[in-house]
Amino acid sequence: MKSNISLIGFMGVGKTAVGQALAEKLGKEFVELDALIAQKAGKSIPEIFQEDGEIRFRELEIEVVKEVADRKNLVIACGGGVVLNTINIDRLKKESVIVLLTASLGVILKRTLHEGGRPLLEGQTKAADIKALMVFRKPFYERAADITIDTSKLNINAVVEEIVAELKEWS
Ligand code: S3P
């Protein structure tokens, strides 16, 4: 049986908040890939993007996925772009059930508006750009997912409850 749960989905769907609550509920360890990447690089995610570029960020993302994917009993909050390199999903799938969190564009805009730290949403990024990115990534997310939960109308606890219920059916 797979002992990890990996949360994937677009920026602002609540992977971190849900992941922390889910880990607590299931008695698993919570890890966030972005935090591990920042730790490895010795700088923040925006600094990595700015100073080293997105390609370097993706290389670091591949490295940390490789390091955590085989560990046991984890809830892993992945960055929104983890699905872009299929090697990441192949590695995660070995020990993880992959849970996709989704939300409508409106909800994502509202949730990310007042939060910083996301280079892909900063500066001149417009709602239409975000929508285009969501549309582009949708097939990547759907191909990777074992379980999908629309979080648009749910609070964190309700999302956690849905995941726990789906996991029972899935395993
Ligand atoms: C990214 C999402 C971010 C972070 C980086 C790139 C993306 O994580 O990994 O800024 O490509 O969608 P969150 O999804 O946790 O915001």
Side-chain angles (χ1 to χ4, degrees), residues 74-117:
L74 303 178
V75 172
I76 305 169
C78 300
V82 80
V83 291
L84 298 174
N85 288 298
T86 40
I87 183 95
N88 290 330
I89 299 302
D90 292 345
R91 286 186 171 136
L92 288 167
K93 280 233 172 193
K94 290 197 185 123
E95 191 60 33
S96 291
V97 177
I98 311 277
V99 177
L100 168 62
L101 303 183
T102 65
S104 65
L105 176 65
V107 167
I108 283 177
L109 289 174
K110 215 191 289 173
R111 288 189 191 156
T112 54
L113 195 62
H114 301 294
E115 296 173 6

Side-chain angles (χ1 to χ4, degrees), residues 4-143:
N4 295 342
I5 296 147
S6 288
L7 298 174
I8 62 166
F10 203 77
M11 295 168 272
V13 294
K15 299 178 295 282
T16 301
V18 167
Q20 282 167 334
L22 182 67
E24 196 162 318
K25 171 118 189 161
L26 299 178
K28 294 182 186 286
E29 185 187 339
F30 175 72
V31 295
E32 194 190 29
L33 295 185
D34 276 356
L36 298 179
I37 293 168
Q39 203 177 17
K40 191 179 252 282
K43 50 180 126 174
S44 69
I45 304 295
E47 282 168 344
I48 301 170
F49 270 76
Q50 205 180 353
E51 293 168 18
D52 311 315
E54 181 172 351
I55 291 177
R56 179 66 192 136
F57 172 81
R58 297 297 170 203
E59 287 171 358
L60 290 165
E61 192 171 49
I62 287 170
E63 283 177 32
V64 299
V65 167
K66 194 173 179 199
E67 285 161 15
V68 300
D70 295 335
R71 288 176 52 197
K72 307 265 185 308
N73 237 9
L74 303 178
V75 172
I76 305 169
C78 300
V82 80
V83 291
L84 298 174
N85 288 298
T86 40
I87 183 95
N88 290 330
I89 299 302
D90 292 345
R91 286 186 171 136
L92 288 167
K93 280 233 172 193
K94 290 197 185 123
E95 191 60 33
S96 291
V97 177
I98 311 277
V99 177
L100 168 62
L101 303 183
T102 65
S104 65
L105 176 65
V107 167
I108 283 177
L109 289 174
K110 215 191 289 173
R111 288 189 191 156
T112 54
L113 195 62
H114 301 294
E115 296 173 6
R118 290 197 176 92
L120 295 179
L121 301 184
E122 237 114 81
Q124 294 303 303
T125 317
K126 302 198 173 54
D129 302 326
I130 297 175
K131 180 162 188 220
L133 195 57
M134 284 175 75
V135 169
F136 172 76
R137 287 187 177 179
K138 196 166 184 264
F140 290 86
Y141 290 131
E142 289 178 351
R143 211 176 304 142

